[in-house]
Amino acid sequence: MADLAQVSAAPAPDLLTPDNCAVLFVDHQPQMFFGTGSGDRTAIINATVGLAKAAKVFDVPVVLSTVAAESFSGPLMPQLADVFPDQKIVDRTTMNAWEDVAFVEAVKATGRTKLVIAGLWTEVCVVLPALSALAQGYEVYVVTDASGGVSPQAHEHAVQRMVQAGVVPVTWVQVLLELQRDWARTETYLPVMDVVKEHGGTYGLGVVYAQTVIGAHAAG
């Protein structure tokens, strides 16, 4: 039961903020997309780029990683690489990114303890590092619509496995709006609206309508 004397207008410590999280992109590569069958691949690409731009708007540190880029899976998808043109990409041989020293060191270098992870495939390259990071004390959030598995069942069961272990499932728009959280934060308001209009589908169209009919500063 709530202690009313302790109730105040303050956010929960579990919420993501620009200062407490890092975003990890794992294996968004051509060969991995070819094998993805859990959902519309164009939608996964859109969600991934939307998530990337959300991280950039709020200056959240990111880690980009690929697996066997030159020998099998191909380069990081250009739409994602273009958001972070100066970012070093950690290429691995391990399916579990958390077994790669360079990857883990890159994560540690962010100084963040809340990890937001998206990748391909959910049942391998997402679930393995998610559970590994969780076991080492990190709080882990998986962006389910910016991730995909080889089948709907593979994706769903991987998400269920992670949730049972304590991972929190989120979507890219949820991450974006949780980072903003107050429309009075004017320094990020317009960049957030730009991301929404470009990648938010009908939500973005709604913003276009509201700004046209109500005014340029229509919120939400």
Side-chain angles (χ1 to χ4, degrees):
M1 180 176 291
D3 180 356
L4 297 183
Q6 301 299 318
V7 173
S8 63
D14 288 341
L15 296 184
L16 298 171
T17 74
D19 299 319
N20 69 12
C21 67
V23 181
L24 317 182
F25 294 92
V26 183
D27 305 349
H28 291 93
Q29 300 165 261
Q31 187 66 37
M32 305 305 292
F33 271 106
F34 296 158
T36 298
S38 60
D40 180 76
R41 287 172 288 189
T42 300
I44 296 172
I45 291 171
N46 179 70
T48 301
V49 179
L51 177 65
K53 291 181 178 179
K56 189 166 187 177
V57 165
F58 291 96
D59 199 25
V60 173
V62 303
V63 177
L64 307 177
S65 187
T66 55
V67 62
E70 295 185 3
S71 61
F72 182 73
S73 300
L76 189 73
M77 70 179 202
Q79 301 96 316
L80 175 56
D82 287 348
V83 179
F84 307 106
D86 300 320
Q87 181 85 16
K88 180 181 178 181
I89 300 169
V90 179
D91 192 47
R92 321 176 318 276
T93 62
T94 62
M95 286 182 280
N96 180 6
W98 209 262
E99 295 180 46
D100 183 90
V101 173
F103 180 87
V104 174
E105 288 302 315
V107 174
K108 289 168 64 178
T110 69
R112 307 300 173 84
T113 57
K114 292 181 186 286
L115 304 182
V116 179
I117 304 179
L120 306 176
W121 299 317
T122 320
E123 68 272 26
V124 182
C125 300
V126 174
V127 72
L128 299 182
L131 295 181
S132 299
L134 193 70
Q136 294 189 18
Y138 284 89
E139 296 176 59
V140 181
Y141 302 74
V142 167
V143 188
T144 58
D145 55 353
S147 304
V150 298
S151 68
Q153 293 87 349
H155 177 76
E156 178 185 350
H157 294 167
V159 172
Q160 289 178 353
R161 180 183 180 187
M162 289 186 284
V163 168
Q164 289 171 359
V167 173
V168 180
V170 293
T171 65
W172 83 266
V173 170
Q174 180 180 350
V175 172
L176 173 70
L177 298 185
E178 195 162 323
L179 293 174
Q180 176 69 24
R181 218 171 62 241
D182 187 341
W183 295 121
R185 291 174 178 162
T186 56
E187 67 276 10
T188 52
Y189 172 77
L190 288 178
V192 165
M193 289 295 96
D194 287 341
V195 175
V196 168
K197 286 187 284 188
E198 187 172 359
H199 298 283
T202 53
Y203 173 27
L205 286 177
V207 171
V208 171
Y209 172 82
Q211 292 183 340
T212 301
V213 175
I214 301 172
H217 299 287

